[in-house]
Structures are given as C-alpha cells and as structure tokens.
Amino acid sequence: MAATEKPHLGTVESHGIFYSILDPVTCSMNLSLNDRRTLKLPATPGYKMAVPLQYSSDSQDLESYTLHYFSTAFTSQDYADALEKSILFFEGQRSGKLPLNQRLTWRGDSGLSDGSAYHVNLVGGYYDAGDNVKFGLPMAFTTTLLAWSVIEFGSSMRNQITNAKEAIRWSTDYLLKAATATPDTLYVQVGDPNMDHRCWERPEDMDTPRNVYKITTQNPGSDVAAETAAALAAASIVFKESDPSYSTELLQTAMKVFDFADRHRGSYSDSLNSVVCPFYCSYSGFQDELLWGASWLHKASLNGSYLAYIQSNGHTMGSDDDDYSFSWDDKRPGTKILLSKEFLEKTTEEFQLYKSHSDNYICSLIPGTSSFQAQYTPGGLFYKATESNLQYVTSTTFLLLTYAKYLGSNGGVAKCGGATVTAESLVAQAKKQVDYILGDNPAKMSYMVGFGNMYPQHVHHRGSSVPSKNAHPNSISCNDGFQYLYSSSPNPNVLVGAIVGGPDNRDHFADDRNNYQQSEPATYINAPFVGALAFFSAEN
C-alpha cells in the first residue's frame, strides 16, 4: 500500500516532527530493515500507532526498507520508567561522600581521601564502569552527553529533570576541582588501573593505590582537556537558568581548560602511557576533541572567537573527514551533527560542510541508501564492536534523534545520494535500537538491569557483585572478592538502570560476570540513552 493510501485519522506533532494517526484495524507495519519481514498489527480495540506522514524520497526503493510504522513493544510509560532507571544508574557509580537522598542504598562512601597524598581534593566523580578507577576522558565524555541529552530533550524529562541535573552536577563538581586545583594542570585520573584490576573489591573497601595522574604544560593531554572543556561548557547551558552563578563558573573554567588544551598540544596517551592505555587510549588523537570542545564553547558562550577558531582549524581537525564511530574516543560525528544545526537554522554558509558530512554519517546507517555501510545483527541491532557494543548503539541512537530534531524543526532532510531521508525515518530507526535494548529482540532480554521481566543477573561490576556493607559489614579483601566474580549466583545488589555491553553479532548474549565484553556496564553507555529515552517517553 503506498504511503498516500494509508487510512489516517489525523495528525500529531512531537519534537517538531509530524505523524499521521492510523486506523488500527486496516493498517499493517513493515518492520523490515534487514530481513524484510512483514508483521500484522493486532486488531485490538483502541490500538493506535503513529507513522510518518511523508517518508519520502527521490527514490521509490527507500519505501521498501523503511521502518514505516512505530513498533508498539513499549508505551510512553515504559520509556519513562526506563528513563528514571537510566539516570538512577549513575548513583551506583558515585565516588565520594554520598548524599542523604542516595537512592541506591547498598552503595556507601568511598574514595574519601582521593588526592590528599598530592595535597589536592579530588573526592567525588564517577567510577567509569565495573572497576574503581576514575578515568577523566570517559567521565568528561559521559558528562558532555548527559548535558547534551538535557539540552535537546530535557523538556520531555518531566519529573526526572532534577535527577538528570544532579547526575551532571556530580561529575561537574569533580571536574571543576580537577581543573582548578593547580595552575596549568588538569588532574585526569585517580587510581592505578593495573593494580585495581588485580583486585575484586567493592569501592567502600578498596585499598589499592589511589595514584593521581595529571597533564601539564610539559606533559600535555589536549584530548582529555578539550573533552573536559566540552563537558563544562555543555553543562553551563544546562544550568544557565536554574543556577546562573554555577553556570558562569562552569563556562569560565571551560574557556580556561580549552585554552590550556589548545596552547599545549599533545595526546594524553603519550604523556601517561600505561596508566591510560590500553584502557582509554586516545586512538583518534586530540584534533577531534579540540574541534568538539570549540564547538561546545561556541554554543555555550556565543563568543565570536570560537566561531573563528572553528573556521580556521576545522579543515585540519576533521571537518573534511567522514567518520562513522561516535564514542568517548572519537568525537567527529557528534561535532558534525552539533554544528549542522547552525546551517539548518541560520543557513550559516561556513557550516554547510558539517551538514553535508552529517548527512553522510546518517545515510551510512540507513539500509537501502547508496551510502549504507553499517552492520546490523539478524535481530536488527546496530553492531560495531565485540566489546561493549551497546556504547555505539546508544551514542548512534542519540545522534539519529538529535539530527531528526534539527531536521524536523527546520524542514530539512538528509540527502543520501539521489534520495532523501526524512526526520521521522531517523526517529523510526532510532526507536528500533532503543526497543531492542529494552527487550524487543530475539532473546527477549532487556539489556537494562532492573527493566522488564528478564535482564542480566551477573553484571561485571565489583560493587554490585560483592555483598554490600549493610549485608557484610566486615571488609572483604582484594583477593577474597574473587569468589564473587566467579560465583554463579546473581549479583546481590541490583545496579538498577545499568546497560551492559550487550549481545554479539548474532544476537547471542552470555549472562556471565567474567565475560566483561558483554556484561560490563559503563557511564558512557547510559549517558546518550538518557536523551533517547526522554524523547520516546514523550511520544504517544
């Protein structure tokens, strides 16, 4: 049935994107992205489904693969529940003195003397994943993405906006300390990862070395510094109205940290070697972070110097490159999407290049386009890597939705060769990824802990897998903790909202604590998913 022949009952608008409401009994949905299976809608009374008014294109072939209709696996209330849990997860990753309103009560205070041996206060922040190290690069990226989630979709977060801002502030309070404690210095890590990984102990007991690592003018780290600047700048936008003085402090610090990153160029991987590699090596170099940081400062400050910086340096910092991976390491696709808004809204000629490259990135994800190159599992999950693949799924999904918002608000489309892909098509593609993570997948497994009827029980996470201080007040030593790593019993402490690494390229998942590639959660997996869940929680 052609798009114009689908019987509809009216239209609805959400996030600047218009949908038609279809008659429930007479419509079917084509869910095929890879296997082109056609499923029938259940003809239940009152069943409604939103579908794009125009998918449309210069190529009739696009209609054959498009996800025409929204899957109805989850309701807006389900997404709202998942949103709440995705933010709650960050409380399980907290380091420092926990507040009285801490909701994950199996966690306790930890790392209370971080930095003291070096005469600096580095208490607070987040543990990145299932260990007890505070890695600066992924923490800053997590913060940037949490802030971006609030900037784009905060209006849909309703009663969770306060919790989302608290999750951001927990990190920015720490990043401010790390950036201002010592002149011309940025503290970028607390904890020796090589020693930490030889122990399996809850953070409340950790007795591994809490070494402090920093970058300086002599030992630069433009990548981690520019990402820290991006995080502080993005967060300054979040707090601009609710806490103006804090917002100003964040922005002023971001400017100083960016200047430090730009004046003293170099990769932190070269300066810190084995304490950051192979854990969070800056494989993409530091140029992408410099452009990303400048882009966020341009957005946050409206200072013309950052626009000039982008125009002068963009070509040498990745603006001419097509890159297809957005992560804690590589910021190029995110920068393109962020700057494309300037062209779409203001037709600023200097940013047309970013819109074109954003189209190239987006088109690479859409089956059937001439630029398609992404890999999907048989069950429809975007697949990038064997280790912690869901980090790429959540970051990609966030960019799909953000670009859809930018396009939808300005009447734009993504140009894929001779065809065009509309905003609502990107939303539909993103929704399939979100729904897969939440349980609409071949295994019927939710990859978010605590959401749905079946989710991972053996999460690779020290604090979650070792009995809490409440249950076991006495200290559990470094080596004694390994019995819990290898135990077949479910984790005693539920790390609600954690999204694990996820299934393999055949949709297979091993709920095995020792298989960290699939069972370890991370802050940067959750951060962009917060924005995606906020978007869908507002959909009807």
Side-chain angles (χ1 to χ4, degrees):
M1 185 182 290
T4 54
E5 298 173 326
K6 296 184 178 81
H8 62 88
L9 307 176
T11 63
V12 292
E13 183 268 341
S14 179
H15 300 284
I17 302 169
F18 288 86
Y19 302 96
S20 63
I21 302 300
L22 303 184
D23 180 286
V25 179
T26 56
C27 298
S28 64
M29 61 180 174
N30 178 356
L31 284 176
S32 65
L33 284 174
N34 296 310
D35 55 2
R36 307 188 179 220
R37 292 170 297 170
T38 298
L39 304 175
K40 294 291 182 183
L41 289 176
T44 51
Y47 188 91
K48 295 284 191 293
M49 175 167 277
V51 51
L53 264 178
Q54 295 180 337
Y55 167 68
S56 111
S57 67
D58 300 328
S59 165
Q60 293 181 343
D61 291 340
L62 287 175
E63 191 168 355
S64 68
Y65 76 79
T66 297
L67 212 159
H68 290 290
Y69 305 86
F70 279 176
S71 154
T72 56
F74 303 102
T75 65
S76 58
Q77 184 53 50
D78 291 329
Y79 295 119
D81 178 41
L83 170 64
E84 179 177 7
K85 289 172 177 173
S86 70
I87 299 169
L88 179 59
F89 158 73
F90 288 94
E91 294 192 14
Q93 298 303 112
R94 284 173 169 172
S95 181
K97 178 72 176 175
L98 301 186
L100 294 175
N101 64 353
Q102 170 81 10
R103 293 174 292 170
L104 289 184
T105 55
W106 51 265
R107 277 299 321 280
D109 299 341
S110 63
L112 297 181
S113 60
D114 281 358
S116 61
Y118 299 79
H119 309 293
V120 290
N121 177 5
L122 295 174
V123 176
Y126 289 118
Y127 302 118
D128 68 305
D131 56 22
N132 301 324
V133 181
K134 296 191 296 199
F135 290 99
L137 182 57
M139 194 193 307
F141 178 69
T142 291
T143 310
T144 310
L145 269 289
L146 272 176
W148 200 3
S149 289
V150 170
I151 290 165
E152 301 298 346
F153 306 113
S155 61
S156 300
M157 291 182 182
R158 299 188 178 94
N159 64 342
Q160 291 306 309
I161 188 66
T162 299
N163 290 328
K165 287 183 176 180
E166 282 303 309
I168 295 167
R169 190 186 285 261
W170 193 268
S171 186
T172 52
D173 281 353
Y174 171 82
L175 294 176
L176 284 171
K177 294 177 187 178
T180 60
T182 307
D184 289 325
T185 299
L186 176 68
Y187 293 94
V188 299
Q189 188 167 311
V190 180
D192 180 336
N194 295 291
M195 295 299 291
D196 180 90
H197 290 181
R198 291 176 192 167
C199 290
W200 193 265
E201 55 189 354
R202 56 197 179 191
E204 294 81 6
D205 285 339
M206 63 182 170
D207 50 11
T208 50
R210 299 302 286 170
N211 295 359
V212 168
Y213 303 96
K214 62 187 178 182
I215 55 169
T216 62
T217 55
Q218 286 77 34
N219 292 288
S222 301
D223 27 36
V224 65
E227 183 61 64
T228 301
L232 296 171
S236 77
I237 299 172
V238 170
F239 293 104
K240 191 168 187 177
E241 293 184 7
S242 60
D243 194 339
S245 61
Y246 188 61
S247 173
T248 299
E249 181 185 9
L250 291 169
L251 183 56
Q252 290 177 345
T253 306
M255 291 176 170
K256 291 175 183 175
V257 175
F258 181 78
D259 183 60
F260 172 67
D262 189 45
R263 280 188 297 110
H264 306 286
R265 294 190 181 186
S267 172
Y268 92 138
S269 299
D270 295 332
S271 295
L272 296 175
N273 301 309
S274 63
V275 298
V276 297
C277 295
F279 315 102
Y280 291 103
C281 257
S282 182
Y283 298 103
S284 68
F286 60 82
Q287 303 283 3
D288 57 309
E289 275 87 10
L290 284 173
L291 190 59
W292 171 245
S295 300
W296 275 109
L297 280 161
H298 167 62
K299 185 177 178 69
S301 70
L302 303 179
N303 182 321
S305 66
Y306 296 106
L307 174 59
Y309 183 96
I310 293 165
Q311 292 169 340
S312 300
N313 296 282
H315 294 293
T316 60
M317 292 182 174
S319 66
D320 298 327
D321 304 336
D322 277 322
D323 187 74
Y324 304 101
S325 178
F326 181 47
S327 69
W328 56 262
D329 178 41
D330 196 338
K331 314 300 154 53
R332 286 173 289 184
T335 303
K336 307 283 175 40
I337 299 288
L338 183 66
L339 293 179
S340 72
K341 188 180 183 186
E342 294 268 343
F343 177 73
L344 288 163
E345 286 186 348
K346 305 173 186 174
T347 323
T348 307
E349 203 60 36
E350 294 86 353
F351 292 111
Q352 183 173 10
L353 175 69
Y354 296 96
K355 200 285 183 179
S356 298
H357 283 289
S358 293
D359 284 355
N360 293 345
Y361 168 72
I362 292 297
C363 295
S364 77
L365 303 169
I366 307 296
T369 66
S370 58
S371 310
F372 175 62
Q373 61 172 269
Q375 179 183 348
Y376 289 88
T377 68
L381 181 70
F382 176 63
Y383 191 80
K384 192 78 180 175
T386 55
E387 185 174 323
S388 191
N389 180 63
L390 289 187
Q391 68 175 299
Y392 303 104
V393 179
T394 59
S395 64
T396 299
T397 297
F398 179 82
L399 291 186
L400 281 166
L401 292 172
T402 300
Y403 201 46
K405 179 185 174 184
Y406 295 169
L407 293 174
S409 298
N410 298 282
V413 293
K415 296 179 181 178
C416 302
T420 57
V421 177
T422 59
E424 50 268 25
S425 304
L426 305 187
V427 172
Q429 180 77 316
K431 190 170 191 298
K432 186 170 180 66
Q433 301 306 304
V434 171
D435 288 358
Y436 186 108
I437 290 173
L438 295 181
D440 188 13
N441 56 59
K444 304 303 177 190
M445 163 78 82
S446 164
Y447 293 106
M448 176 184 281
V449 175
F451 182 87
N453 297 321
M454 185 165 68
Y455 52 81
Q457 301 291 318
H458 306 85
V459 181
H460 183 96
H461 188 276
R462 286 160 175 77
S464 175
S465 64
V466 178
S468 70
K469 296 286 280 188
N470 299 331
H472 194 294
N474 294 332
S475 178
I476 299 172
S477 70
C478 169
N479 291 323
D480 287 347
F482 280 103
Q483 62 182 300
Y484 302 107
L485 168 63
Y486 301 118
S487 169
S488 60
S489 299
N491 285 18
N493 311 308
V494 182
L495 188 60
V496 177
I499 301 169
V500 297
D504 65 16
N505 62 349
R506 303 300 299 174
D507 302 298
H508 299 145
F509 176 74
D511 189 5
D512 175 1
R513 197 176 294 112
N514 205 33
N515 179 7
Y516 71 90
Q517 295 92 335
Q518 292 190 319
S519 67
E520 187 170 19
T523 57
Y524 45 86
I525 303 179
N526 272 59
F529 206 56
V530 168
L533 290 170
F535 176 91
F536 288 114
S537 72
E539 295 290 320
N540 293 317

